[in-house]
Structure formats: C-alpha cells, structure tokens
Amino acid sequence: MMDGQSAKPDREGEDSALRKRLPPAERRQQIVEEAVRFFAEVGLEGKTRELARRLGVTQSLIFNYFATKDDLIEAVYEKVYIGRLSLDWPERLTDRSVPLRQRLIDFYTEYSALIFEREWMRIFMFSGLAGASLNHRYLEHLGEVILRPLLAETKALARTDTPPKMEDVWNLHGGIVYIGIRQHIYRMPEPAKPKEEIARAIDKYLLYFGINSER
C-alpha cells in the first residue's frame, strides 16, 4: 500500500516535469489546438481559466504565450480560417485553360472538405452571434481572394442580358456552405452525396448565365 501511494505522486511529478520541458513552439500549438476545441464547444465567451483547466496548466501560462484573450482568438482564427485557404486557389480559379465548371467543382470540393467540420462551423457562428470581427474579416478576405475572381470569370463567359453581380456569387457560395451549416449547426443530416449537390448548385449557377459547362 505504501509503495502504491508513493508511486502516484512520482508519476504526477514526472508528468509535470514533462509539461515544463515542452518546447515553446509545441506548447503554443497545444494551447491553440485546445482553444479551437474549447471555443467551438462553449463559444468565444468561454473563460481562459476553464481553458487552462482543460489543458492542465495555469491561466498565467496561457498568457505567457498570448498577451490577451483576443490574441489567443486571433491565433485560433489564423489556424481554423486563414490557414485552411490554399494559396494556389486564386490562380487555379482563373486558369481559363480549364472549363469554369470544372474549376468551380474542384474548388468547392476541396473547400467543403476543409470547412464542413464542427470546429469551423461552430466558431464561425459563435463569432457572428458575439459580434466579433472574426467572421467579418474572413468573409472580406474570402470575397477578395476567391469570390471576386469568380465573378470576373463568370462575367467573361456570361451570355445573358443581365450581367452577373457579386450577390450572385455570394448566393452560390452561401448555398454550398449551408450544407455544412445544416449538419453542424442545425444537427440535421447532410445530403447523402454532398459532392453531387455541390455540382448541382454549380450547374444551376452556370445555366442561369447561359454558360456552357464545357467552357
């Protein structure tokens, strides 16, 4: 019994020592990854004290890496949102050697694979409800690097009297994103074949502007 009682503190002390020896870059990454899970669960109003408890560290240790809670949320934003945008998407979306339909399908297949997951959707919604700037900044960035180029490509091929507008591109984008919202926010089943629904939305968009699927 005595041996058993003395073994536990030794292991705890060993674990504590291991935590202290964690390299700064790894510690920061650990905090950010747990913060992503934490804020996705409780919202951006979650307390750093509770986050520290979940990490098994002191609250002051978190603030050794992030001066304020806003700085921590910024790191979450970079990891969950900006960090998931592929740098080559704008170039591929404007490559006219590939039919526009295929460019759209390729992009939204990759994009949906990155955002149709719990943390992305819930943090995005919590940010909007809290009036935080996170999702507003993200949408502005997305609009500039992805959606405006898509609008230009649509205009170049449109064969209708009514020219495409930015709102039309947002409607396409929003409809596709809603597939993920339905699953992770409303807790409703996603379509049996999401990729087919994405392709259907793209085909409707192109047809509305008289764009041949092979162009």
Side-chain angles (χ1 to χ4, degrees):
M1 180 69 69
M2 293 295 292
D3 290 342
Q5 289 176 339
S6 63
K8 184 175 181 181
D10 289 345
R11 287 195 298 269
E12 289 177 349
E14 183 179 347
D15 290 343
S16 178
L18 288 172
R19 286 198 296 269
K20 290 178 182 178
R21 289 200 299 268
L22 198 64
E26 291 184 25
R27 172 68 74 196
R28 187 182 189 280
Q29 180 180 351
Q30 179 194 49
I31 293 171
V32 172
E33 289 177 351
E34 185 59 34
V36 169
R37 291 187 288 269
F38 177 66
F39 290 130
E41 179 182 335
V42 305
L44 299 184
E45 300 302 317
K47 305 298 183 183
T48 54
R49 185 183 303 107
E50 173 62 19
L51 173 61
R53 188 190 68 78
R54 295 190 183 199
L55 282 162
V57 302
T58 63
Q59 188 179 22
S60 60
L61 185 141
I62 292 177
F63 288 116
N64 284 341
Y65 290 87
F66 304 95
T68 66
K69 181 182 174 182
D70 285 343
D71 289 339
L72 175 58
I73 291 175
E74 183 69 22
V76 168
Y77 168 74
E78 290 291 333
K79 179 175 180 60
V80 178
Y81 296 96
I82 299 302
R84 297 191 184 190
L85 296 178
S86 295
L87 295 177
D88 68 341
W89 276 342
E91 180 180 354
R92 290 164 57 194
L93 283 167
T94 55
D95 179 5
R96 295 186 180 179
S97 68
V98 179
L100 180 57
R101 179 181 188 272
Q102 190 60 53
R103 283 180 268 162
L104 287 169
I105 287 177
D106 289 345
F107 167 70
Y108 277 110
T109 297
E110 293 178 24
Y111 184 72
S112 63
L114 295 175
I115 73 166
F116 286 7
E117 56 97 43
R118 185 175 183 274
E119 284 81 8
W120 195 100
M121 290 289 173
R122 289 179 63 83
I123 291 175
F124 191 79
M125 290 298 164
F126 277 131
S127 175
L129 291 172
S133 65
L134 185 152
N135 55 358
H136 180 72
R137 287 168 53 203
Y138 173 75
L139 291 175
E140 281 192 340
H141 181 73
L142 185 75
E144 288 301 317
V145 302
I146 300 295
L147 302 188
R148 289 195 182 280
L150 282 183
L151 176 61
E153 296 303 299
T154 304
K155 285 182 175 179
L157 296 173
R159 296 294 180 267
T160 55
D161 294 334
T162 303
K165 300 183 297 184
M166 195 64 185
E167 190 65 23
D168 298 312
V169 183
W170 276 115
N171 285 338
L172 169 66
H173 183 81
I176 292 173
V177 172
Y178 182 75
I179 296 173
I181 293 174
R182 193 170 73 185
Q183 179 184 6
H184 295 289
I185 304 300
Y186 298 146
R187 308 292 179 87
M188 295 177 64
E190 66 175 349
K193 298 180 179 179
K195 291 182 180 180
E196 290 187 6
E197 296 307 316
I198 290 173
R200 188 193 306 273
I202 290 169
D203 287 339
K204 288 181 179 179
Y205 171 80
L206 297 176
L207 180 63
Y208 183 80
F209 294 109
I211 299 175
N212 188 308
S213 63
E214 297 180 358
R215 298 184 63 185

